[in-house]
Amino acid sequence: MIWKVLGFIVLIWIALALLGAIIKGVFWLVVAGAVVLGLVWLYKAISSSDDHSSLKY
């Protein structure tokens, strides 16, 4: 019985470690995407063109 409990705890620990690593990687991808999107919106807002319809995502 104790081996089943220890095995379950080890599996949960490994799953949480993998999930944490995945979330950490995705977080920085989301941050980079937000920065790029903000720069695109800023460029579109200050461009000399009067057509700002592409700002509405």
Side-chain angles (χ1 to χ4, degrees):
M1 179 65 181
I2 193 155
W3 293 112
K4 287 183 181 180
V5 173
L6 284 176
F8 183 72
I9 291 172
V10 168
L11 285 177
I12 295 296
W13 180 55
I14 291 172
L16 288 176
L18 289 174
L19 188 63
I22 290 169
I23 289 174
K24 185 186 287 189
V26 170
F27 173 76
W28 289 113
L29 287 175
V30 169
V31 169
V35 168
V36 169
L37 185 62
L39 289 174
V40 168
W41 279 353
L42 182 64
Y43 173 76
K44 293 282 188 174
I46 62 174
S47 66
S48 61
S49 173
D50 288 334
D51 182 27
H52 295 294
S53 61
S54 61
L55 287 174
K56 300 174 185 173
Y57 284 115

